[in-house]
Amino acid sequence: MGTDPGQLVGLPTPDSHAFFTHAREELDPTWPNEVTLRSIDNFYGYEPARYLPDITPTPLLIIVGREDGLTGGNLAASAYGTAAEPKKIVFLPGGHFAAYTGDGFTRASQASRDWFLEHLTR
């Protein structure tokens, strides 16, 4: 997390900075907020959509923020389009971290609960 544009950070978006600043201040002031260079290298090479054929026909629920500037709502929508059924996509207002707090968390957790009840209790 940093505000210096020349500083190497793992998640270089304004909403990442805001979320992790809040997490440190409000949830755990002792949290070091550090990652290894290897983790950053792995993160930037992470392409979850390429695993979709491997999980078919496992039920797939994608929850994404409409304004996600980190992973991109358009990328999630494209991945969803290539996935096999059963599948569902839920768009939340807000960015990447919208599903983790407040109304976004309520909506994301309800959608997850409903999905799991439908697909795990058969």
Side-chain angles (χ1 to χ4, degrees):
M1 167 185 81
T3 56
D4 176 359
Q7 181 181 12
L8 180 62
V9 296
L11 302 174
T13 62
D15 61 334
S16 298
H17 184 268
F19 181 80
F20 289 112
T21 298
H22 168 77
R24 180 180 234 170
E25 291 172 355
E26 303 294 324
L27 303 176
D28 186 359
T30 64
W31 175 54
N33 192 12
E34 299 172 345
V35 296
T36 65
L37 287 175
R38 182 180 178 106
S39 295
I40 291 174
D41 186 50
N42 288 336
F43 172 74
Y44 286 112
Y46 180 55
E47 295 288 340
R50 76 180 191 89
Y51 298 103
L52 289 175
D54 297 336
I55 65 170
T56 296
T58 303
L60 175 68
L61 172 65
I62 298 175
I63 300 174
V64 63
R66 287 194 183 277
E67 293 84 39
D68 188 336
L70 188 60
T71 57
N74 290 341
L75 291 174
S78 294
Y80 175 79
T82 67
E85 296 288 346
K87 63 183 179 179
K88 181 177 182 180
I89 191 166
V90 175
F91 286 101
L92 302 175
H96 184 78
F97 299 96
Y100 303 143
T101 60
D103 183 55
F105 176 79
T106 300
R107 292 176 65 182
S109 60
Q110 288 173 347
S112 298
R113 179 204 59 215
D114 294 348
W115 185 255
F116 293 142
L117 285 173
E118 180 181 351
H119 294 281
L120 294 178
T121 58
R122 290 183 186 189

